[in-house]
Amino acid sequence: MKKMALTLLALAATTLAHARDDVVVLPLADVVQMGLDLGKLDGSVKFYLSGAATPRVSAQLGDDVSNKKTNGVGKDDAAACKWAALSALMAFEASAKQKDANAVVDLHSFYKRNPKKDPVNFECHAGNVVIGVALKGTYARVAK
C-alpha cells in the first residue's frame, strides 16, 4: 500500500513538472469576424487594441477585465484560443451595452495581471487541459 502511494505521488509530481503553458499569439480581428459570422457578436460594440488606430473618444466609462477559459483537451490550440477570446469579447460587448458604450478601447492581453500591448494580436495561454485568455480594456463612446 505504501509503495503504491509513493508511486502515485511520484507520478503526480512528474505530471506537474511537465505542465504545459504555451503562449499562442493570434490576430484579434479574426476572432471579431468569427463572432460576427456566428452571430455571437452583433457589431454594435467595436474593439480597439492598444496602439491601434482608434476614433476620437468622447467618454471613458470604466475599465474591465474579462478572463475566460475553455477545455483544451483534444482541441487545436489556435481554435480553442479563438473560442476563449470570443467568450471574453462577448462579455465585454454585453457590459458595454449596459454602460451605453459603443467601443472597448486600449484592449490588451492581461494574463496573470501582466499587460501585453499589441495593436493587432492578443495572447492566449494553452495548458495541458485548460486554455485561457485574459483581456483588459476601457469602455468608451467613440465617434462613428
Side-chain angles (χ1 to χ4, degrees), residues 2 8 14-15 21-22 27 40 50 58 65 68 73 75 78 81 83 85 100 102-103 108 116-117 121 123 129 141 143:
K2 185 176 179 182
L8 288 174
T14 302
T15 302
D21 184 16
D22 294 341
K40 301 288 184 182
S50 297
S58 61
V65 175
K68 299 297 181 182
V73 177
K75 296 178 184 168
C81 283
W83 189 255
D100 197 29
N102 65 354
H108 56 276
K116 297 279 184 179
K117 297 187 177 190
N121 300 308
E123 182 178 283
V129 177
R141 279 191 219 111

Side-chain angles (χ1 to χ4, degrees), residues 17-74:
H18 295 314
R20 185 169 77 105
D21 184 16
D22 294 341
V23 177
V24 181
V25 177
L26 298 166
L28 187 70
D30 291 354
V31 177
V32 172
Q33 189 59 55
M34 181 177 84
L36 294 169
D37 292 347
L38 294 173
K40 301 288 184 182
L41 298 173
D42 65 16
S44 64
V45 175
K46 304 296 182 197
F47 300 97
Y48 299 97
L49 286 167
S50 297
T54 304
R56 185 181 61 77
V57 174
S58 61
Q60 291 188 357
L61 304 167
D63 296 333
D64 202 359
V65 175
S66 184
N67 186 354
K68 299 297 181 182
K69 304 206 180 316
T70 191
N71 180 341
V73 177

Side-chain angles (χ1 to χ4, degrees), residues 32 36 41-48 89-90 92-98 100-105 138-140 142:
V32 172
L36 294 169
L41 298 173
D42 65 16
S44 64
V45 175
K46 304 296 182 197
F47 300 97
Y48 299 97
L89 295 182
M90 290 166 55
F92 271 115
E93 183 181 78
S95 293
K97 289 177 179 182
Q98 290 177 344
D100 197 29
N102 65 354
V104 179
V105 299
T138 302
Y139 298 110
V142 298

